[in-house]
Amino acid sequence: MNDVPSLDAVLRAAHAVEAAIEERMQAVGLSGAKFMALKVLAEAGDPIPLGQLAERLQCVKSNITQLVDRLEADGLVERQSDPRDRRARLATLTKAGTAAMRAGRTAMAAAEHDVFGGLTGAEARQLRALVGKVGARE
Amino acid sequence: MNDVPSLDAVLRAAHAVEAAIEERMQAVGLSGAKFMALKVLAEAGDPIPLGQLAERLQCVKSNITQLVDRLEADGLVERQSDPRDRRARLATLTKAGTAAMRAGRTAMAAAEHDVFGGLTGAEARQLRALVGKVGARE
DNA sequence: CAAGATTGAAACCTCAATCTTC
DNA sequence: GAAGATTGAGGTTTCAATCTTG
């Protein structure tokens, strides 16, 4: 009758994916949100303003303020002053932060296996193509 | 090279789905979480203990305590004493709660259209089959 | 002691308001 | 005034501890 996938089923799948990620990240002392931030900082190479971090993580700035607070408390990130602009605060990875990011990458790969392990290669490619169409909204 | 591209894409899609739901629910004065609770209560027909509500929503009981607090503050749900078991508290829909649930159903259908509108019928069927495999683990 | 529910603390996220600096 | 960041308040979720009742 209804060709449209139930939102319920999609939400259940999304929840399963997030649960797998959180579980794997917890095993290396991280969370999904913390890992994403470390990943962006590592890809940036140099310290970047918190506003840019918010942009690349697609969230509001006040979220980053608090996330960086927690990362700083964990010793994974440090805030620096920007000599060019005294309004800005730059976030930079510590040694421990770089190590945590690498552990997080391994954890993320494990989560991917947890989630997509039941799918054939063809199914995984199909799924990737389809979710791409869902995400490309507005 | 590409570490975990599929998970990224799936997470983006999941976020898009949740954002569409929250946007549509906000337009009728609800949230995704509140609507799910109202929906379960409506399907139950009779007042049910908070613990059963937690079970059907697949979350911990303390979450329900707070969610029902907010629903009660909104005038959509009421707590009743259970004459059979004085430990239990029964949640029941108010008149306004029933009306809000119906508005939420319409909003959910709109969100579904927002999210899956860009897919062909064949793609929607494929997606439905695939997300079923992702969620059905363990 | 088990079961039902609540409380307190914390992570994660958003919005509106504010503060400093440009 | 506008930009960068923070603060305060609230929503959603989890966990551990607690309280009452069975």
Side-chain angles (χ1 to χ4, degrees), chain B residues 72-84:
Chain B
E72 214 167 10
D74 292 343
L76 305 180
V77 164
E78 276 174 359
R79 281 178 168 90
Q80 294 174 353
S81 295
D82 187 344
R84 285 176 187 61

Side-chain angles (χ1 to χ4, degrees), chain A residues 30-77:
Chain A
L30 285 176
S31 66
K34 285 178 179 175
F35 169 67
M36 292 302 183
L38 297 180
K39 181 166 162 270
V40 166
L41 288 176
E43 283 166 356
D46 296 310
I48 60 173
L50 298 196
Q52 262 187 52
L53 190 51
E55 240 177 67
R56 301 192 199 184
L57 290 172
Q58 308 206 91
C59 67
V60 299
K61 285 177 300 180
S62 60
N63 189 12
I64 295 302
T65 296
Q66 301 179 141
L67 183 54
V68 170
D69 282 348
R70 295 189 296 269
L71 286 168
E72 215 167 10
D74 292 342
L76 305 180
V77 164

Side-chain angles (χ1 to χ4, degrees), chain A residues 2 50 61 76 79 102-103 127:
Chain A
N2 205 347
L50 298 196
K61 285 177 300 180
L76 305 180
R79 281 178 169 90
R102 278 198 269 262
L127 181 57

Side-chain angles (χ1 to χ4, degrees), chain B residues 3 11 24 31-32 37-38 50 52 71-72 74 77-79 84-85 101-102 114 122 134 137-138:
Chain B
D3 260 332
L11 286 175
R24 289 292 188 172
S31 65
L38 298 181
L50 299 195
Q52 262 188 50
L71 286 168
E72 214 167 10
D74 292 343
V77 164
E78 276 174 359
R79 281 178 168 90
R84 285 176 187 61
D85 187 341
M101 186 275 296
R102 279 198 269 263
D114 292 344
V134 171
R137 281 171 24 277
E138 219 71 26

Side-chain angles (χ1 to χ4, degrees), chain A residues 95-136:
Chain A
K95 270 245 181 78
T98 304
M101 185 276 295
R102 278 198 269 262
R105 275 208 299 232
T106 304
M108 192 62 100
E112 187 181 24
H113 181 267
D114 292 343
V115 167
F116 298 127
L119 271 58
T120 67
E123 286 171 338
R125 275 188 295 277
Q126 260 187 6
L127 181 57
R128 186 165 38 192
L130 288 173
V131 297
K133 295 198 177 191
V134 171

Side-chain angles (χ1 to χ4, degrees), chain B:
Chain B
M1 285 218 140
N2 246 339
D3 260 332
V4 282
S6 333
L7 264 196
D8 258 23
V10 170
L11 286 175
R12 267 197 304 276
H15 187 268
V17 170
E18 283 159 11
I21 292 174
E22 294 307 325
E23 191 181 330
R24 289 292 188 172
M25 287 299 163
Q26 194 179 350
V28 298
L30 285 177
S31 65
K34 285 178 180 176
F35 169 68
M36 293 302 183
L38 298 181
K39 181 166 163 270
V40 166
L41 288 177
E43 284 166 356
D46 297 309
I48 60 173
L50 299 195
Q52 262 188 50
L53 190 51
E55 240 177 66
R56 301 193 198 182
L57 291 172
Q58 308 205 90
C59 68
V60 298
K61 285 177 300 182
S62 61
N63 189 10
I64 295 302
T65 296
Q66 300 179 146
L67 182 54
V68 170
D69 282 349
R70 295 190 298 269
L71 286 168
E72 214 167 10
D74 292 343
L76 305 180
V77 164
E78 276 174 359
R79 281 178 168 90
Q80 294 174 353
S81 295
D82 187 344
R84 285 176 187 61
D85 187 341
R86 276 177 202 141
R87 296 172 299 180
R89 317 238 44 195
L90 304 180
T92 182
L93 281 180
T94 64
K95 270 249 184 71
T98 303
M101 186 275 296
R102 279 198 269 263
R105 275 206 300 233
T106 305
M108 192 60 100
E112 199 167 296
H113 181 267
D114 292 344
V115 166
F116 299 127
L119 272 58
T120 67
E123 286 171 340
R125 275 189 295 276
Q126 265 186 1
L127 181 57
R128 181 170 50 184
L130 290 173
V131 297
K133 295 196 179 192
V134 171
R137 281 171 24 277
E138 219 71 26

